[in-house]
Amino acid sequence: MDAYYGASHVLRDIDFSVQGGEIVSILGRNGVGKTTLLKSILGLEVRTLGTITLDGKDITGRPTYLRARAGIGYVPQGRELIPDFSIRDNILMGCYARADRRRLVPDLVRDLFPYLRDNLGRRAGLLSGGQQQQLAIARALASEPRILLLDEPTEGIQPNIVEQIEDTIQRLNKQIGLTIVLVEQNVKFARAASQHFCVIEKGEIAASGAIDALTDDIVRKHMTI
């Protein structure tokens, strides 16, 4: 797959697969195309050439809302919440992508995020950065995704909440079997949580494989500033 913003060629010859029930970490320096890769999968703001398949079905020509309804959830970098909406209403925004169109706060969200559960009427703009990140994940889970795309979910968050978010990601994968594509800068967490990795450098795949193959040499070569 190749991806473009206008005439700018951002991703070149990207070819990777994600098996059901695994976490794949997308690694690399800032500005190499990691976010563009996630947006390409969901069909957001990016023109692509090539083929994207989900469960063997070609979804390349589908609009974003149909890809979401097919089971792709997305937690964007920066969270993109509606600050004047309540926690409940932000979560319910994710329900528009549900196949059954039901609007409810899932039991899974109530179990994973006790603070959100106990403060559903609180405005999203009043939450801390870590609480907002939890809310962004909760909104994505409200769509009942089969695949969750997470764009740097621990960036700029206080350390105690980082641990909670990392634990949540691993619980979603190990206990529920949710497939996750994770853009991450924290190599230690990527190694602990992922089964496979993909390193992007200048818009191309520079290294990939089973997580055990993510050596310190690869990290130094493609991630050290």
Side-chain angles (χ1 to χ4, degrees):
M1 180 194 70
D2 286 40
Y4 301 80
Y5 286 116
S8 179
H9 197 171
V10 182
L11 296 177
R12 296 176 176 82
D13 299 322
I14 299 296
D15 185 4
F16 83 108
S17 61
V18 182
Q19 299 300 314
E22 73 174 10
I23 297 179
V24 174
S25 284
I26 310 299
L27 306 167
R29 298 183 182 93
N30 290 332
V32 298
K34 304 186 300 297
T35 294
T36 301
L37 176 58
L38 297 190
K39 288 185 174 182
S40 297
I41 294 171
L42 198 52
L44 283 170
E45 306 172 16
V46 183
R47 180 171 62 90
T48 60
L49 295 177
T51 303
I52 301 171
T53 61
L54 176 63
D55 290 338
K57 298 179 180 178
D58 186 352
I59 63 170
T60 313
R62 294 189 190 181
T64 296
Y65 79 95
L66 287 181
R67 299 189 197 197
R69 199 166 292 167
I72 303 177
Y74 179 47
V75 181
Q77 190 177 31
R79 300 180 277 276
E80 298 181 9
L81 301 170
I82 302 177
D84 290 335
F85 277 22
S86 68
I87 289 173
R88 177 187 287 105
D89 288 341
N90 271 280
I91 293 172
L92 294 180
M93 291 291 291
C95 295
Y96 287 106
R98 288 174 62 107
D100 61 11
R101 305 293 185 88
R102 294 179 66 197
R103 288 174 54 79
L104 75 168
V105 178
D107 290 339
L108 173 61
V109 167
R110 297 176 185 273
D111 178 51
L112 288 172
F113 305 115
Y115 179 86
L116 302 184
R117 177 196 65 209
D118 295 339
N119 295 274
L120 288 171
R122 188 172 175 83
R123 284 179 49 226
L126 299 177
L127 303 181
S128 69
Q131 291 164 345
Q132 289 187 7
Q133 186 63 66
Q134 291 176 340
L135 179 53
I137 295 172
R139 179 185 57 193
L141 293 176
S143 70
E144 294 194 322
R146 290 181 292 149
I147 299 174
L148 186 62
L149 312 179
L150 288 163
D151 196 349
E152 299 204 26
T154 62
E155 181 184 34
I157 293 174
Q158 56 269 43
N160 63 315
I161 301 295
V162 166
E163 292 181 7
Q164 293 178 26
I165 291 173
E166 291 178 347
D167 178 66
T168 296
I169 292 168
Q170 291 181 290
R171 285 180 64 188
L172 288 169
N173 176 248
K174 293 179 180 178
Q175 296 180 16
I176 301 168
L178 186 62
T179 304
I180 295 173
V181 180
L182 172 68
V183 167
E184 185 56 78
Q185 295 284 1
N186 185 335
V187 174
K188 181 179 179 181
F189 176 58
R191 284 171 167 158
S194 309
Q195 289 78 45
H196 288 84
F197 77 96
C198 178
V199 177
I200 297 180
E201 179 78 33
K202 296 180 181 178
E204 300 179 347
I205 294 177
S208 64
I211 198 64
D212 290 345
L214 180 59
T215 64
D216 290 342
D217 285 344
I218 290 175
V219 172
R220 281 193 294 268
K221 182 176 181 181
H222 299 294
M223 296 188 68
T224 303
I225 299 175

